[in-house]
Amino acid sequence: MRIGELARRAGVSTRALRYYEQQGLLAARRTSNGYREYDESDVKVVAEIRSLITVGFTLEDARPFVECLRAGNDAGNACPESVEVYRRKLAEIDEQIRTLFGRRAEVAAQLAEACPGCALRTGGTT
Amino acid sequence: MRIGELARRAGVSTRALRYYEQQGLLAARRTSNGYREYDESDVKVVAEIRSLITVGFTLEDARPFVECLRAGNDAGNACPESVEVYRRKLAEIDEQIRTLFGRRAEVAAQLAEACPGCALRTGGTT
DNA sequence: CTTGACCTTGACGTTGACGTCAAGGCTTAG
DNA sequence: CTAAGCCTTGACGTCAACGTCAAGGTCAAG
């Protein structure tokens, strides 16, 4: 299939697909007229990328998963490198959550100080 | 005082101060040679901005606080507009926390699926 | 033959808060 | 006189993941 069909099937823009290729995450054969040609495995690759992106992974984070798929695995997370990214991401997320809780506490404290009683209407942590 | 001294006292770069001015958050008189001249109230303004930035506010978010200070108030959060920003920010933070928890759960589930037993070593929510 | 729907590469725009030159003016100490 | 240390404006660079033209090639249908 060509880029337009892959884009429709994967639910992304053609621009995104060319960008993935530029980043080395997607490879395409070329037909005689220069058009990119994709197959079913590419649909899987793009789906993997999108599903990782939606949980907050960067394209760099997705790279090991893509390489794992390319290596012939059924799932992109079947390789130790992918599992390692999962772990790193979990740690990052935990750190972000801690940071946000800290900020929340500070802002709530400031709000309480600036406007005693306001916090009651915020629907806070109760 | 001139921009260099304000920068040192507020712990920011001179570039940042010029940027704040460009954004309309900081005003400066000019001496005859064109140099910016600041006073103690500007130190307070910059301190207010920095303290808001460090809890995740944008410069736009900081604007009402600065205007509140300029209006003669002792604290930047003494105005209803500032309090409203606090509330909006609290809601934003809560939303981000919810999103992160959702992502954490999805990543943890993927990790568990890809590598049963791995989660045990993650130092999870326990 | 021409329209229209595809495709190509190239390159600038977006967002926030500055960092980092570049090129030059003012002031003071030596 | 000159170096040092301030200051000025202007303008491009950064980071991610594309969006959005621009200019043009390709191919099947009418």
Side-chain angles (χ1 to χ4, degrees):
Chain A
M1 78 197 78
R2 290 175 305 183
I3 198 170
E5 188 181 345
L6 176 58
R8 271 191 304 279
R9 292 187 52 184
V12 303
S13 67
T14 59
R15 179 68 178 90
L17 295 179
R18 294 195 189 95
Y19 181 68
Y20 297 160
E21 178 175 324
Q22 193 187 336
Q23 302 303 307
L25 291 171
L26 197 57
R29 294 188 310 281
R30 297 300 183 114
T31 57
S32 56
N33 58 13
Y35 288 8
R36 291 173 177 82
E37 186 72 17
Y38 301 95
D39 58 27
E40 292 301 319
S41 73
D42 295 312
V43 179
K44 274 193 78 169
V45 167
V46 178
E48 181 88 25
I49 293 174
R50 294 314 302 178
S51 105
L52 292 170
I53 289 285
T54 56
V55 292
F57 284 43
T58 67
L59 283 182
E60 258 337 284
D61 294 330
R63 194 178 298 276
F65 294 79
V66 170
E67 286 173 2
C68 190
L69 276 177
R70 284 216 197 120
N73 293 282
D74 251 25
N77 58 19
C79 303
E81 291 81 4
S82 307
V83 171
E84 184 51 36
V85 173
Y86 275 151
R87 286 234 274 270
R88 185 166 51 73
K89 277 304 191 178
L90 264 189
E92 281 182 27
I93 292 172
D94 285 344
E95 177 62 27
Q96 288 169 19
I97 288 175
R98 272 192 293 277
T99 299
L100 279 178
F101 270 121
R103 286 182 184 174
R104 210 213 110 90
E106 290 190 57
V107 174
Q110 286 294 314
L111 174 58
E113 184 191 322
C115 174
C118 276
L120 300 176
R121 280 172 290 172
T122 312
T125 324
T126 312
Chain B
M1 80 196 77
R2 290 177 304 183
I3 198 170
E5 188 181 345
L6 176 58
R8 272 191 304 279
R9 291 188 51 184
V12 303
S13 66
T14 59
R15 178 70 179 88
L17 295 179
R18 294 195 190 94
Y19 181 67
Y20 297 160
E21 177 176 322
Q22 191 186 335
Q23 301 303 307
L25 292 171
L26 197 56
R29 294 189 310 282
R30 297 300 182 115
T31 58
S32 56
N33 58 13
Y35 288 8
R36 290 173 178 82
E37 185 70 18
Y38 302 96
D39 58 27
E40 291 302 317
S41 74
D42 295 311
V43 179
K44 275 193 76 168
V45 167
V46 178
E48 180 90 22
I49 293 175
R50 295 314 304 177
S51 108
L52 292 171
I53 290 285
T54 57
V55 291
F57 284 42
T58 68
L59 283 183
E60 259 335 286
D61 294 329
R63 194 178 297 277
F65 293 79
V66 170
E67 287 174 0
C68 191
L69 276 178
R70 282 213 199 123
N73 293 282
D74 251 25
N77 61 18
C79 303
E81 291 81 5
S82 306
V83 171
E84 184 52 35
V85 174
Y86 275 151
R87 286 234 274 269
R88 184 166 52 72
K89 276 305 189 178
L90 264 188
E92 281 181 30
I93 292 172
D94 286 343
E95 177 62 27
Q96 289 170 19
I97 287 176
R98 272 192 294 275
T99 299
L100 280 178
F101 270 119
R103 286 183 186 172
R104 210 213 110 90
E106 289 190 59
V107 174
Q110 287 295 314
L111 173 59
E113 183 190 324
C115 175
C118 276
L120 300 177
R121 278 173 291 171
T122 311
T125 321
T126 317

